[in-house]
Amino acid sequence: MSHNTIAINQRMDQFDGHHRVWLFGYGSLIFKADFPYIERKPATISNWTRRFWQGSHDHRGTETAPGRVATLIAQSGAVTAGMAYLITPEVFAHLDHREKNGYLRLATDIRFEDGGSELGLVYIATEDNAAFLGEASERDIARQIARSHGPSGANRDYLIDLAHALRELGMEDAHVFEIERYLTDLRE
């Protein structure tokens, strides 16, 4: 699959005819909601874990020096915390462009802190996309993040902003916090 997934996502029709759809964000969507939404609240999804295994050629890196950003990897029993946004389908065009570097819209069950749940969507970059970098140690990921910069800014800022947002929400993520620790060590 190519880097640009806009056309593929435009063919996803599962939510056609819906006036409102819940969107689950687990990376920059937690701290950078640059789209209109009706409601926003903390949520989780099951059987996925957040990993910095996706390359960023368009936001936090370049074609020749990609950064690393979050995606979700299937893991039975895992729970990933994030932020859910109630949006209208008109927002899809913006999100499809923002998430075009390998991310696909997938339907998922989103659980809210109050115990309720809704079928919604999430953008996930699977390992068959051209920008997927794959598994690496948190130390190696931190090294790559430390030297990466793209049109949306320093890759370091993305990781630090995500870690900060997770802490503000009282959400744990050992992978993110370990990369952050290595990044801090690299600065000293």
Side-chain angles (χ1 to χ4, degrees), residues 20-171:
R20 299 173 172 196
V21 178
W22 281 101
L23 166 70
F24 181 77
Y26 56 88
S28 63
L29 288 176
I30 295 176
F31 61 86
K32 186 181 178 188
D34 60 351
F35 52 89
Y37 57 88
I38 300 161
E39 187 178 352
R40 171 184 191 244
K41 56 186 175 178
T44 60
I45 61 172
S46 297
N47 299 315
W48 296 97
T49 189
R50 183 178 11 245
R51 291 291 181 259
F52 271 74
W53 294 0
Q54 176 67 4
S56 178
H57 302 89
D58 61 341
H59 287 294
R60 299 297 178 158
T62 64
E63 281 289 333
T64 57
R68 278 189 178 256
V69 291
T71 188
L72 295 176
I73 303 298
Q75 182 181 332
S76 182
V79 175
T80 297
M83 189 61 66
Y85 299 89
L86 186 58
I87 61 172
T88 62
E90 291 78 23
V91 177
F92 290 158
H94 171 74
L95 291 171
D96 288 347
H97 184 266
R98 176 179 165 160
E99 305 298 326
K100 72 181 182 291
N101 195 40
Y103 289 84
L104 295 175
R105 290 189 220 163
L106 300 173
T108 189
D109 187 44
I110 300 171
R111 298 199 172 277
F112 305 105
E113 288 183 332
D114 64 8
S117 68
E118 291 278 343
L119 183 65
L121 67 88
V122 62
Y123 285 83
I124 297 176
T126 58
E127 62 188 59
D128 62 345
N129 83 82
F132 192 80
L133 297 175
E135 187 172 359
S137 71
E138 281 84 0
R139 175 177 281 143
D140 289 343
I141 291 170
R143 286 183 184 130
Q144 184 173 354
I145 287 172
R147 65 179 180 264
S148 298
H149 192 280
S152 294
N155 200 176
R156 170 187 296 277
D157 294 344
Y158 173 100
L159 185 279
I160 299 297
D161 288 348
L162 177 57
H164 178 75
L166 290 171
R167 282 193 186 91
E168 271 192 345
L169 294 166
M171 299 173 175

